[in-house]
Amino acid sequence: MTRFSGSDRYIAPSDLQLAVNAAVRLQRPLLVKGEPGTGKTQLAEEVARSLGLSLISWHIKSTTKAQQGLYEYDAVSRLRDSQLGDERVHDIANYIVKGKLWEAFTADSPVVLLIDEIDKADIEFPNDLLLELDRMEFYVYETRQTVKAVHRPIVIITSNNEKELPDAFLRRCFFHYINFPERETLKQILHVHHGDIEAELVERALDVFFDIRQQNGIRKKPSTSELIDWLKLLMADEISREALIEKQEAQAIPPLAGALLKNEQDVHLLERLAFMHRRQKG
């Protein structure tokens, strides 16, 4: 299988490339952590695209149960069909709803299976998938069949660190933490998304962006995805580097800051800092 080395639309640092390829070689799930907006979900999409594989995505919610990833028995539909005299009711297999792991295990060719934001689910969720991900098989009690992986999928699991994951689960994964990109890497990412963007605008926007991230007391630091959105708005609004400087000096917060700041506490913090700065200058 071809090794992952990033793509034309995803800048993957060398350590991330090594992590992906190591997990594939070890046949272990790749557990990816990092700040929200650092491209964890997109990583799975780009691994699939660059290796020429299909992607099966399982986006986890707080109410998601591990069993749903395997299969669910639709007893309600079977009861309704029995009341209507439907012949389908005699075969229980008609009421087994396949989950994402079942899809991945029985695919005609290898796939990438994304289990996205696993930390949103109940603390027992990862443990409930231990054996299935380890052995690449599970048992369907209603039909008395064992579903085994025809081709072992590449499993990528993301977490935003909302809660700790069980040690037994962690032992079965290859772990990688995506560090927040450095300035030069961010420039490459911006050029991937925005093409021939004005260099001076990028430099000034990055100055403002990192100033916000480094402020003490910021509750929600702006992420890479929010920087990309902000630059898109700056370009659409034709705000030049000079105008950005002028507006920042004249206003408490940067122009179009709603793309960067996501709560009123952070807005008020920057307003207070700007007010103190103007008093000191005065």
Side-chain angles (χ1 to χ4, degrees):
M1 185 178 291
T2 308
R3 292 173 62 84
F4 175 68
S5 57
S7 70
D8 56 350
R9 62 184 189 185
Y10 187 87
I11 305 299
S14 58
D15 60 339
L16 179 55
Q17 295 177 33
L18 287 171
V20 172
N21 293 317
V24 172
R25 180 176 291 275
L26 290 173
Q27 295 187 330
R28 296 281 190 180
L30 173 63
L31 174 60
V32 184
K33 291 187 178 184
E35 287 185 33
T38 50
K40 300 185 295 297
T41 301
Q42 189 184 356
L43 171 65
E45 298 169 0
E46 294 305 317
V47 168
R49 192 172 77 95
S50 65
L51 299 182
L53 305 178
S54 297
L55 174 67
I56 295 177
S57 299
W58 186 17
H59 300 288
I60 307 303
K61 301 177 181 179
S62 60
T63 56
T64 304
K65 302 299 180 184
Q67 182 65 33
Q68 294 171 307
L70 308 179
Y71 70 93
E72 291 183 279
Y73 168 50
D74 190 353
V76 174
S77 292
R78 194 181 190 196
L79 174 61
R80 182 195 61 219
D81 288 349
S82 68
Q83 293 171 339
L84 296 174
D86 194 319
E87 288 298 319
R88 296 175 70 251
V89 75
H90 299 296
D91 186 356
I92 195 172
N94 291 324
Y95 303 94
I96 299 297
V97 181
K98 298 177 181 180
K100 297 297 184 180
L101 268 72
W102 191 323
E103 291 181 31
F105 286 5
T106 57
D108 294 334
S109 58
V111 300
V112 174
L113 172 63
L114 168 65
I115 303 177
D116 198 26
E117 297 189 332
I118 194 171
D119 52 324
K120 281 188 174 180
D122 183 86
I123 188 62
E124 292 303 319
F125 180 94
N127 281 336
D128 290 342
L129 289 177
L130 282 180
L131 290 179
E132 289 77 9
L133 290 177
D134 206 22
R135 298 179 181 176
M136 286 287 148
E137 66 178 49
F138 60 89
Y139 186 70
V140 183
Y141 291 93
E142 288 79 1
T143 60
R144 300 180 182 178
Q145 69 178 117
T146 298
V147 177
K148 295 185 178 182
V150 179
H151 304 281
R152 192 179 189 98
I154 297 173
V155 182
I156 297 179
I157 303 170
T158 72
S159 170
N160 287 327
N161 258 348
E162 291 185 11
K163 62 170 68 79
E164 289 296 321
L165 300 175
D167 289 344
F169 181 80
L170 295 175
R171 283 197 298 271
R172 288 165 168 81
C173 298
F174 189 93
F175 173 76
H176 183 76
Y177 186 87
I178 298 182
N179 291 308
F180 193 82
E182 297 180 352
R183 190 181 182 103
E184 290 304 313
T185 303
L186 279 177
K187 288 182 185 178
Q188 296 178 45
I189 292 171
L190 290 173
H191 282 292
V192 165
H193 286 271
H194 296 309
D196 297 327
I197 187 173
E198 181 188 345
E200 289 298 322
L201 177 60
V202 170
E203 293 293 345
R204 184 54 192 163
L206 285 175
D207 287 342
V208 174
F209 178 73
F210 279 111
D211 281 347
I212 294 175
R213 282 185 57 86
Q214 292 165 4
Q215 291 293 343
N216 291 328
I218 287 288
R219 297 183 61 180
K220 167 63 177 71
K221 293 182 179 181
S223 67
T224 306
S225 60
E226 288 158 346
L227 173 63
I228 293 168
D229 289 344
W230 187 46
L231 260 293
K232 181 178 181 179
L233 291 174
L234 293 178
M235 294 168 64
D237 207 39
E238 297 181 351
I239 297 177
S240 66
R241 172 180 176 274
E242 292 74 18
L244 182 58
I245 295 172
E246 292 171 2
K247 289 191 177 187
Q248 190 192 10
E249 290 179 347
Q251 298 179 7
I253 57 176
L256 304 169
L260 296 175
L261 303 174
K262 302 300 182 178
N263 59 66
E264 61 276 16
Q265 293 93 334
D266 289 345
V267 173
H268 294 331
L269 173 62
L270 291 192
E271 287 175 341
R272 289 196 302 272
L273 291 173
F275 175 73
M276 292 170 60
H277 179 69
R278 287 196 298 270
R279 288 189 61 181
Q280 291 173 356
K281 289 184 65 175

